Amino acid sequence: MTLPPHLSVKDRHLRIGGCDAVELAFKYGTPLYVTDEDRIRANFHGYKKALSSRYQNIRILYAAKANGNPSILKILAEEGAGADVFSSGELTIALQAGMKPEYLLFNGSSKTEADHRLAVEKGVRVSLDSIDELMQLDQIAGEAGKVVEVSFRVNPAIDVPTHPKIATGLATSKFGIPAATITEAYAQALVCKNVVPVGIHCHIGSQILSVEPFAKEAQVLMEVVAELHKMGVKFKFVDLGGGLGVCYEHYGGPAPAFDAYADAIMPEIISTFTRLGISPEIWIEPGRSMVCDSTILLTKVNSVKQAHKTFVNVDAGFNTLIRPAMYDSYHEVLVANRAGEEQAGTYTITGPICETGDILAHDRKLPAIQVGDLIALLDAGAYGYSMASQYNGRGRCAEVLVKGDKSALMRRAETVDDLLAAVVTPPWL
Ligand SMILES: *Cc1c(COP(=O)(O)O)cnc(C)c1O
């Protein structure tokens, strides 16, 4: 198995950054998400270098839903990133982490009045997904005596090769306004008093492993931009969304490099901008590819059972990492205290949840596993903790940040008290 540079093996123990994974599990308990700070910074710089070497005016908006831990947002804020936020909660956390309001974009197809109010109050731009949203925001901004800058999300109707649940730019997707009617939406926005369209937004899906769909997206987007420019829209930003995939199978082919991605999208964009004589910011919204490989999930073996397969019962289940159960996704598995030992059997890694589907990994060839061993699932940084739940009366686990040989909690594990924190008893009980 090829390991990324922040993971290594020493004395049969898996290491992340300069820390021994077995020691981290002992110190902080399991299950445990462990994130390498420098890897996130390196991923950010990979994007930044690839894009800004081709075009000056770029901005990277981290998709906060991939992993919304405030420490991660803080790291990215330090690097100058903004964020794609999809709720008032994400917006508030991003601002608290030090991100500038003008570097945020409030996305989503179903915002509430309170969402719009918060965006207006904080001076955050809004990506609109319907004419109803346009009208609501115009009114709310007017009541506040403010003018809000907006974009519309356009549906480019592109078929992307990914899991159907995370393809968001299909003609049939719930997201965006069809390219055929997008000019109509902008025409309506242009006559609004309290809203001014200054951008356009698009996001075609997630875990996309070839760059062609992004090239296609850029093409569709530029046709729309040219048309809107003619109509009088003064562009300040063009946002291509996120979606670049990562290589979960470490024996498989590599995920597209940042440079390949930049090569796919930039020529079309730059030539259109040059032709139109405009130079708005280019925004991208990577989530998964920014944080996924930075993080491992450590989980302890409670028991090993020989049945029709050999089941390894661990303390993390789909309450901790739902991706295998929800998307049939694959995560590489290592025995963190026996790394590099010879394979001795085929194991299925199962969680503690009362559901047949609670399986983290099927039929993996691993060293001989015993009670008390420590399993590591790799590439758990995106849509891992952020999708964790308290299902089955289990508090969410802790998250630790590693920088070199330093480690610290960035979120403690939840206790039974946390499970009860929001509970209210009706007076007749
Ligand atoms: C989820 C999402 C992203 C991030 O997608 P990744 O595949 O994690 O890069 C970006 N923009 C929007 C609007 C999203 O919904």
Side-chain angles (χ1 to χ4, degrees):
M1 189 182 305
T2 44
L3 293 175
H6 58 295
L7 299 180
S8 58
V9 172
K10 191 176 164 195
D11 303 329
R12 296 193 309 164
H13 282 192
L14 176 66
R15 297 175 71 80
I16 175 164
C19 297
D20 183 316
V22 180
E23 285 172 17
L24 292 174
F26 184 75
K27 180 168 179 190
Y28 298 103
T30 56
L32 185 69
Y33 278 104
V34 184
T35 296
D36 184 71
E37 176 174 334
D38 292 337
R39 184 62 179 178
I40 294 177
R41 292 185 192 271
N43 288 338
F44 175 87
H45 285 289
Y47 268 117
K48 186 163 178 200
K49 186 156 168 272
L51 294 174
S52 62
S53 63
R54 289 163 175 83
Y55 185 76
Q56 281 286 309
N57 224 357
I58 65 139
R59 174 81 45 207
I60 297 169
L61 280 70
Y62 168 60
K65 75 177 188 286
N67 187 334
N69 188 291
S71 298
I72 289 177
L73 291 165
K74 215 168 161 188
I75 290 164
L76 288 164
E78 276 179 26
E79 296 289 351
D84 144 39
V85 297
F86 229 78
S87 65
S88 289
E90 287 182 355
L91 188 155
T92 304
I93 292 169
L95 289 177
Q96 274 181 11
M99 285 178 171
K100 298 190 172 143
E102 63 268 32
Y103 294 175
L104 303 185
L105 186 64
F106 198 154
N107 285 316
S109 53
S110 187
K111 300 180 202 78
T112 63
E113 238 182 82
D115 290 337
H116 282 139
R117 278 219 176 81
L118 185 69
V120 170
E121 180 198 327
K122 300 293 181 189
V124 171
R125 293 189 180 113
V126 179
S127 178
L128 301 165
D129 202 285
S130 63
I131 300 298
D132 278 349
E133 278 199 342
L134 170 68
M135 296 307 163
Q136 288 159 10
L137 183 62
D138 188 43
Q139 187 179 342
I140 286 167
E143 284 163 13
K146 290 192 179 173
V147 173
V148 183
E149 295 188 332
V150 301
S151 58
F152 280 99
R153 177 162 173 173
V154 60
N155 181 342
I158 296 175
D159 199 356
V160 288
T162 187
H163 191 287
K165 281 185 188 159
I166 49 177
T168 59
L170 307 177
T172 53
S173 156
K174 76 167 180 176
F175 294 110
I177 292 178
T181 56
I182 192 78
T183 48
E184 176 56 25
Y186 277 86
Q188 293 202 40
L190 282 169
V191 297
C192 284
K193 277 209 183 76
N194 313 298
V195 158
V196 49
V198 299
I200 188 159
H201 176 230
C202 191
H203 172 67
I204 55 173
S206 197
Q207 184 53 9
I208 299 166
L209 283 168
S210 84
V211 297
E212 283 76 34
F214 297 108
K216 188 112 180 279
E217 178 196 12
Q219 214 177 349
V220 174
L221 212 46
M222 286 308 108
E223 283 167 22
V224 176
V225 164
E227 201 153 329
L228 296 174
H229 174 76
K230 251 195 297 180
M231 280 171 54
V233 176
K234 306 255 179 297
F235 280 100
K236 291 189 181 173
F237 71 90
V238 171
D239 183 347
L240 281 95
L244 193 60
V246 301
C247 187
Y248 286 97
E249 295 186 46
H250 288 215
Y251 293 109
F258 300 125
D259 275 315
Y261 172 72
D263 273 338
I265 61 170
M266 291 307 239
E268 182 78 30
I269 297 176
I270 292 170
S271 78
T272 305
F273 285 1
T274 309
R275 181 161 57 82
L276 301 177
I278 58 174
S279 50
E281 289 187 358
I282 295 174
W283 291 4
I284 58 163
E285 302 173 337
R288 187 189 307 273
S289 48
M290 196 82 96
V291 290
C292 185
D293 64 4
S294 71
T295 301
I296 58 174
L297 172 60
L298 298 175
T299 178
K300 208 166 126 192
V301 176
N302 286 327
S303 54
V304 181
K305 180 170 69 180
Q306 200 72 50
H308 81 283
K309 287 182 175 188
T310 308
F311 291 110
V312 177
N313 299 308
V314 296
D315 58 9
F318 76 51
N319 56 323
T320 314
L321 179 67
I322 203 172
R323 299 190 65 260
M326 185 145 141
Y327 306 119
D328 300 312
S329 29
Y330 179 97
H331 287 265
E332 292 290 2
V333 171
L334 282 171
V335 187
N337 58 320
R338 300 179 187 282
E341 276 186 25
E342 213 174 302
Q343 292 172 356
T346 304
Y347 297 97
T348 288
I349 315 294
T350 53
I353 297 300
C354 182
E355 299 245 6
T356 311
D358 186 27
I359 294 177
L360 294 172
H362 293 269
D363 301 321
R364 300 301 174 84
K365 296 207 168 13
L366 297 167
I369 294 180
Q370 294 169 14
V371 172
D373 279 347
L374 186 68
I375 301 290
L377 286 111
L378 307 190
D379 307 307
Y383 310 106
Y385 189 95
S386 63
M387 288 182 134
S389 75
Q390 296 178 329
Y391 185 45
N392 244 184
R394 292 170 181 277
R396 282 172 285 235
C397 71
E399 295 180 286
V400 158
L401 187 68
V402 157
K403 185 165 178 65
D405 58 5
K406 283 190 297 194
S407 71
L409 278 178
M410 55 177 178
R411 190 183 324 248
R412 65 163 172 80
E414 291 174 342
T415 63
V416 173
D417 284 342
D418 293 313
L419 297 182
L420 294 169
V423 165
V424 180
T425 307
W428 61 88
L429 290 181

